[in-house]
Amino acid sequence: MTDLWVIHYSTGYCSVRKGARVPTVSDVAARAGVSTATVSRALNGKPTVDPDLAARVRQAADDLGYQPNGPARNLRRQEAAVVALIISDVENPFFTAIARGVEDVAHEVGYSVVLCNSDESVEKENRYLDIAIQERVAGVILSPSGPTSTVAKLASRGTAYVAVDRPLPGQDSDVVLVDTRLAAREATAHLIAQGYERVGCITGPAGVRTADDRLAGYRDALKAARRRTPKLVRRTEYKAAGAHRAALDLLAQPESPDALLIANSVMAVGVLQALQEQGVRAGRDVGLVTFDDAPWAALVDPPLSVVAQPAYEIGAVAARLLLARIADATRPPTATTLGARLTKRASSRRH
Amino acid sequence: MTDLWVIHYSTGYCSVRKGARVPTVSDVAARAGVSTATVSRALNGKPTVDPDLAARVRQAADDLGYQPNGPARNLRRQEAAVVALIISDVENPFFTAIARGVEDVAHEVGYSVVLCNSDESVEKENRYLDIAIQERVAGVILSPSGPTSTVAKLASRGTAYVAVDRPLPGQDSDVVLVDTRLAAREATAHLIAQGYERVGCITGPAGVRTADDRLAGYRDALKAARRRTPKLVRRTEYKAAGAHRAALDLLAQPESPDALLIANSVMAVGVLQALQEQGVRAGRDVGLVTFDDAPWAALVDPPLSVVAQPAYEIGAVAARLLLARIADATRPPTATTLGARLTKRASSRRH
DNA sequence: TTGAAAGCGCTAACAA
DNA sequence: TTGTTAGCGCTTTCAA
């Protein structure tokens, strides 16, 4: 496989820069003819330093190409102006939109964001949490991959954190959620109102709150419409492959569904593939509503009805909460719930 | 806007953990009844330590919930087992696939990956490069956002780095590319062979190598087919909005194109939207080939013909090169070029 | 095999 | 306003 792709491989000569000693405060101090303390003060914009001296120091730093040593600074300061964002799937547009929200807010106040992809795996999440602790980041924003998340260690060390998208069981932390149970209920009610008879649901793993809530909302709607709950629910990983299998399985049932509620856009890809393979026409043979308004949702055939979540806002709100908590660890934790919006397109319109 | 979405906001009580002193090597040493040197050796798996002692140390560390202080360690070691990956767009599946490739390889050998989104902005890229230098990461993998990238400072400090997707002008570094000029030529030739008469091209900004190369390949094909180059080329940011405008502009031309080569999948979203708005039927009125096999490419109407790039492989190869360079800075730089594959679907089939 | 001690580069308390 | 100096927590000589 790999070799097939490689069509060209060339090597050149190397221009190593050997013995490139990295300049330190001392070097800058020597060049500017001041003490290291003054360099530190000048470079950190402290007001108690003579403007002329400050300028000389900055000049010297520039000349030398000085870049502060982060580990040394963080060691001394006992904190880094960095927040870690641990998301459960980099390939899900919902989470990348959250990342943008976090970044924009954090950058405004001089914080950097490092993005970690836990890939829906509690092990990887745990590993990144350890790294975040070890690197002594100022705070962590995360979408917990499962009910067994080990964020408790953040709390016990006093590291600030905020949960997004999914709450932390038994954890009394700041959290930013979406009322997806209500949204799922509305979406399902919409399908029923369109005249679909056997509405199914493909959702995420048990114990993942969004998956459970979307299923609960789906059941709420069925109950309200006095439908008996059919055996048309499938749970799987939040991935395309799992949803693909789930869809094939549902289609093979004797009483297969004539409509589906799908719990996220990554799953929707798998479902649409399955329908295509089976020659089932989406929107005609099977009505569809999926969570998340992916960039491509309106472009598929037929355009997908979606539950749009305010992903960017989630990230922005979470970042603001985190910064507030970093500034004041004693403030009471808040729970913010944002609303979602059902966008009706052709995939759920009865023909 | 924001307020509209907020439907619930509650506050609870806070359980702050005050004065939670973080355990250090000294604490572990005291508890295990050994010196800090032995703790360090034991925890780092050095062979020169008595197994019994080592066990006692590990036990003590566990009891205390000890986590090494990263900044202190990195300060002492003068290097962190971290690589920075700076990509030009987190919302582009091509780059997130690269990220997975990098992560998988890096994790195998105990390196962590931090992801930075330069958002196609040289300023942000520059900022992240500074952070990478300051944090003294072991190496950097980046897709340069433009020709004015400032990676030179990495070289001058001896920090290892690898360029992916786009080369660094005048830079003699490891680089992993795709032969997209050839791929663009094949894709364009395919459109011509299908009988399209006025093939246009929407590509990225001048100076971004992939954008230039894809345009060059497009022109290669036109020349080979003895077509005079029509005024059907548009350049814009690598974003949906830019491509949307470009497509509308092209459609408004007196001699508007009957086929388009689109330089990436993010742009394809904008183009498809534009076509939809103008009531132009993709694949019927206008033939389409786009770069990158996004997850949704086969699901739109009609399924998109694409130039599939080996994104995951690019990341994996780049990570291996970076690790090799970290281990040996004197090895000659290599240029690896991978091939792309044209996948023909309905959007480029002449009816 | 273990311990004592130095020092990585920076910032902040204290002195001048 | 500036300089001197201690020390953040770790690893790593060097000695025992």
Side-chain angles (χ1 to χ4, degrees):
Chain A
M1 168 71 187
T2 299
D3 291 336
L4 247 176
W5 289 95
V6 179
I7 62 173
H8 181 68
Y9 183 87
S10 79
T11 72
Y13 295 99
C14 182
S15 58
V16 214
R17 210 155 322 271
K18 263 282 81 121
R21 221 185 52 81
V22 179
T24 71
V25 267
S26 306
D27 300 321
V28 178
R31 185 168 234 271
V34 297
S35 75
T36 59
T38 301
V39 171
S40 173
R41 284 189 281 252
L43 261 26
N44 287 298
K46 290 281 194 302
T48 71
V49 52
D50 184 86
D52 289 357
L53 262 196
R56 221 163 77 210
V57 168
R58 275 193 299 271
Q59 183 61 51
D62 275 0
D63 293 347
L64 264 38
Y66 170 77
Q67 291 269 31
N69 181 314
R73 162 181 282 175
N74 298 337
L75 173 58
R76 180 62 230 229
R77 290 202 188 157
Q78 301 280 46
E79 180 172 290
V82 172
V83 311
L85 172 59
I86 307 177
I87 58 177
S88 23
D89 183 5
V90 258
E91 302 199 301
N92 184 338
F94 172 69
F95 289 115
T96 52
I98 289 180
R100 299 197 98 99
V102 171
E103 266 197 327
D104 287 352
V105 171
H107 283 182
E108 268 171 28
V109 295
Y111 275 72
S112 302
V113 177
V114 299
L115 197 54
C116 311
N117 174 32
S118 71
D119 205 15
E120 298 284 2
S121 140
V122 177
E123 290 74 37
K124 281 195 188 177
E125 175 181 309
N126 200 23
R127 176 174 176 169
Y128 280 120
L129 283 172
D130 280 345
I131 292 172
I133 290 172
Q134 288 172 17
E135 296 304 322
R136 305 296 196 258
V137 299
V140 176
I141 298 176
L142 86 164
S143 58
S145 285
T148 58
S149 175
T150 51
V151 278
K153 52 187 166 190
L154 290 177
S156 70
R157 319 187 119 249
T159 302
Y161 65 97
V162 175
V164 290
D165 187 47
R166 313 166 185 181
L168 291 160
Q171 216 55 40
D172 198 23
S173 69
D174 289 304
V175 58
V176 184
L177 303 173
V178 172
D179 190 348
T180 63
R181 177 167 183 167
L182 182 62
R185 179 181 175 151
E186 281 174 8
T188 310
H190 161 64
L191 286 168
I192 293 171
Q194 288 286 310
Y196 293 102
E197 298 284 342
R198 297 182 310 286
V199 181
C201 176
I202 297 180
T203 189
V208 175
R209 178 68 145 267
T210 50
D212 292 342
D213 277 0
R214 289 163 201 185
L215 178 58
Y218 157 82
R219 289 195 167 129
D220 289 345
L222 291 186
K223 201 164 292 172
R226 304 201 192 293
R227 302 282 175 94
R228 59 183 183 76
T229 309
K231 292 201 174 305
L232 296 177
V233 172
R234 291 295 179 279
R235 307 194 76 138
T236 162
E237 285 184 302
Y238 264 136
K239 304 209 170 159
H244 183 265
R245 280 191 301 273
L248 290 181
D249 180 32
L250 279 174
L251 291 174
Q253 296 301 303
E255 292 248 304
S256 77
D258 62 357
L260 283 174
L261 176 68
I262 308 166
N264 80 9
S265 72
V266 175
M267 287 180 149
V269 169
V271 172
L272 288 170
Q273 268 165 355
L275 297 182
Q276 213 170 55
E277 287 161 20
Q278 297 295 307
V280 176
R281 295 166 307 171
R284 292 193 163 262
D285 304 325
V286 176
L288 248 34
V289 177
T290 183
F291 270 76
D292 298 337
D293 197 8
W296 49 265
L299 303 173
V300 297
D301 176 33
L304 271 186
S305 297
V306 300
V307 174
Q309 298 192 83
Y312 180 92
E313 277 299 324
I314 293 172
V317 170
R320 282 189 213 106
L321 288 173
L322 186 71
L323 293 169
R325 179 156 302 286
I326 290 169
D328 172 15
T330 67
R331 61 195 294 281
T334 66
T336 308
T337 306
L338 307 182
R341 190 159 36 201
L342 177 62
T343 302
K344 299 170 188 170
R345 301 200 184 102
S347 75
S348 62
R349 230 165 269 143
R350 194 64 161 165
H351 297 271
Chain B
M1 168 73 185
T2 300
D3 291 335
L4 249 175
W5 289 94
V6 179
I7 62 173
H8 182 67
Y9 183 86
S10 81
T11 71
Y13 295 100
C14 182
S15 57
V16 214
R17 211 154 320 269
K18 263 280 84 108
R21 225 191 42 87
V22 180
T24 72
V25 268
S26 306
D27 300 319
V28 179
R31 187 168 233 270
V34 298
S35 74
T36 59
T38 302
V39 171
S40 174
R41 285 190 279 252
L43 261 26
N44 288 298
K46 290 281 192 305
T48 71
V49 52
D50 185 83
D52 288 357
L53 263 196
R56 222 163 75 210
V57 169
R58 274 193 300 272
Q59 182 62 51
D62 275 0
D63 294 347
L64 264 39
Y66 170 78
Q67 292 268 33
N69 181 314
R73 161 179 283 175
N74 298 336
L75 173 59
R76 181 60 231 234
R77 290 203 184 153
Q78 301 280 48
E79 180 173 289
V82 172
V83 312
L85 172 59
I86 306 178
I87 58 177
S88 24
D89 184 5
V90 258
E91 302 198 300
N92 183 339
F94 172 69
F95 289 115
T96 52
I98 289 180
R100 299 197 95 99
V102 171
E103 266 197 327
D104 286 353
V105 171
H107 282 182
E108 267 172 26
V109 296
Y111 275 72
S112 302
V113 177
V114 300
L115 197 54
C116 311
N117 174 33
S118 72
D119 207 15
E120 298 284 3
S121 140
V122 178
E123 289 74 37
K124 281 195 188 177
E125 175 181 309
N126 201 21
R127 177 174 175 166
Y128 280 120
L129 282 171
D130 280 345
I131 292 173
I133 289 172
Q134 288 172 17
E135 296 304 322
R136 305 298 197 258
V137 300
V140 176
I141 297 176
L142 86 164
S143 57
S145 285
T148 57
S149 175
T150 51
V151 278
K153 50 187 167 189
L154 289 179
S156 70
R157 320 188 118 248
T159 301
Y161 65 96
V162 175
V164 289
D165 187 46
R166 312 165 186 182
L168 291 161
Q171 216 56 40
D172 198 23
S173 69
D174 289 304
V175 57
V176 184
L177 303 173
V178 172
D179 190 349
T180 65
R181 177 166 185 168
L182 182 63
R185 179 181 177 151
E186 281 173 9
T188 309
H190 162 64
L191 285 168
I192 293 171
Q194 288 286 311
Y196 293 102
E197 297 284 341
R198 299 181 310 285
V199 181
C201 177
I202 296 180
T203 190
V208 176
R209 179 69 145 267
T210 50
D212 293 342
D213 278 0
R214 288 164 202 185
L215 178 57
Y218 158 82
R219 289 195 167 128
D220 290 345
L222 290 186
K223 200 164 293 172
R226 303 199 193 296
R227 301 283 176 93
R228 60 183 182 74
T229 309
K231 293 201 174 303
L232 296 177
V233 172
R234 290 296 178 279
R235 308 195 76 138
T236 162
E237 285 185 303
Y238 265 136
K239 304 211 170 157
H244 183 265
R245 280 191 301 272
L248 290 182
D249 180 32
L250 279 175
L251 291 175
Q253 297 301 305
E255 291 247 306
S256 78
D258 63 356
L260 283 173
L261 177 68
I262 308 167
N264 81 9
S265 72
V266 175
M267 286 180 151
V269 169
V271 172
L272 288 171
Q273 267 166 355
L275 298 184
Q276 215 171 54
E277 287 162 19
Q278 297 294 309
V280 176
R281 294 166 307 172
R284 293 194 162 262
D285 305 325
V286 175
L288 248 34
V289 178
T290 182
F291 270 76
D292 298 337
D293 197 7
W296 49 266
L299 302 174
V300 298
D301 177 33
L304 271 186
S305 297
V306 299
V307 175
Q309 299 192 81
Y312 181 92
E313 277 300 323
I314 293 172
V317 169
R320 282 189 213 105
L321 287 173
L322 185 72
L323 293 170
R325 179 155 301 286
I326 290 169
D328 172 15
T330 66
R331 60 196 295 281
T334 65
T336 308
T337 306
L338 307 182
R341 189 158 39 201
L342 177 62
T343 302
K344 298 170 188 169
R345 301 201 183 102
S347 74
S348 61
R349 229 167 270 143
R350 193 64 162 167
H351 296 272

